[in-house]
Structure formats: structure tokens, C-alpha cells
Amino acid sequence: MTYAELFSDIKSQFIDADVSDIQEHLAYQFNITGEASGIFYVEVKDGQLYVEPYEYYDRDVMFTCSADTLKKLAAGTMDPVFAFTIQKLKVEGNFDKALRFKELIDRKR
């Protein structure tokens, strides 16, 4: 799998998530390691969701994981807290906002 394929897959999973009632700003950067390595961000701003293939310098949280772990997180087959606990997911930044990432996973249609 290439980075472009991974990004396209993840974006298609998240882009229709209903975040209209989230007024808090959430900005997550994902650093993908190993196969399909690259960087992208997921942002909730003014009730809108954005998924873009860029580095986000004003991020709240930076997640670092493999493409395989990210796919499991996005599919909802791996809990983000569990992934962090078993060291499959590295988290830097605001842990309160990091915990809100699971809410985005649960809002996917």
C-alpha cells in the first residue's frame, strides 16, 4: 500500500462523519511510519471536518503509528487507548483532545 492509497482510504472513511455539533477546535496530525509512511491531518473547525495530506503546525495532538494500526483505529477494530497502552500508538500533545479522537471514529457513517 502506498501513502496515497492509505490517505485516500482514511479520508473516505472520515469525511462524512457528522461533526456539526462539535464547536470545539480539534486538530490531529498523523505521522505514519513504515509502509505507506507520510503525514496528514484531521481537523474539526466550526462544525466542519477536514482531512488533508499536510503537516499541521498548530495541532492539538500528534499521533504516530504504522499504517496497519491506523487502518484498525479508523475501522473501529482497535481502541485508541488500547493502542496507546500496548505502544502501537504514540501520542504527543493535549491528552484530553487526544481522547476525543475516538468520538470522531464513532461518528463515521
Side-chain angles (χ1 to χ4, degrees), residues 2-5 8 10-12 24-25 30 32 45 53 56 62 67 72-73 76 78 81 83 85 87 91 104 106 108:
T2 67
Y3 167 76
E5 292 167 333
S8 177
I10 297 299
K11 184 172 183 172
S12 69
E24 179 182 9
H25 181 258
F30 290 85
I32 309 307
K45 182 178 180 181
Y56 196 97
M62 182 169 57
K72 289 176 183 175
L73 292 170
M78 181 182 282
V81 174
T85 303
Q87 300 179 351
V91 180
L104 294 182
D106 295 340
K108 297 183 313 175

Side-chain angles (χ1 to χ4, degrees), residues 64-77:
T64 303
C65 63
S66 69
D68 183 57
T69 296
L70 178 60
K71 288 176 13 183
K72 289 176 183 175
L73 292 170
T77 59

Side-chain angles (χ1 to χ4, degrees), residues 14-65:
F14 279 96
I15 201 63
D16 290 331
D18 181 10
V19 297
S20 59
D21 63 332
I22 299 176
Q23 295 305 310
E24 179 182 9
H25 181 258
L26 302 171
Y28 303 110
Q29 179 174 309
F30 290 85
N31 295 346
I32 309 307
T33 60
E35 179 188 7
S37 65
I39 295 173
F40 70 92
Y41 73 87
V42 175
E43 178 183 34
V44 177
K45 182 178 180 181
D46 300 325
Q48 298 275 329
L49 181 79
Y50 304 92
V51 182
E52 298 296 335
Y54 310 110
E55 192 165 352
Y56 196 97
Y57 294 104
D58 194 24
R59 63 189 170 258
D60 297 310
V61 181
M62 182 169 57
F63 295 115
T64 303
C65 63

Side-chain angles (χ1 to χ4, degrees), residues 66-109:
S66 69
D68 183 57
T69 296
L70 178 60
K71 288 176 13 183
K72 289 176 183 175
L73 292 170
T77 59
M78 181 182 282
D79 181 75
V81 174
F82 177 72
F84 175 76
T85 303
I86 63 169
Q87 300 179 351
K88 295 277 186 183
L89 180 65
K90 183 178 175 186
V91 180
E92 295 178 38
N94 184 320
F95 276 83
D96 289 334
K97 288 189 177 187
L99 291 170
R100 303 253 348 243
F101 178 64
K102 183 164 179 8
E103 186 179 340
L104 294 182
I105 294 169
D106 295 340
R107 290 171 178 255
K108 297 183 313 175
R109 294 181 185 162

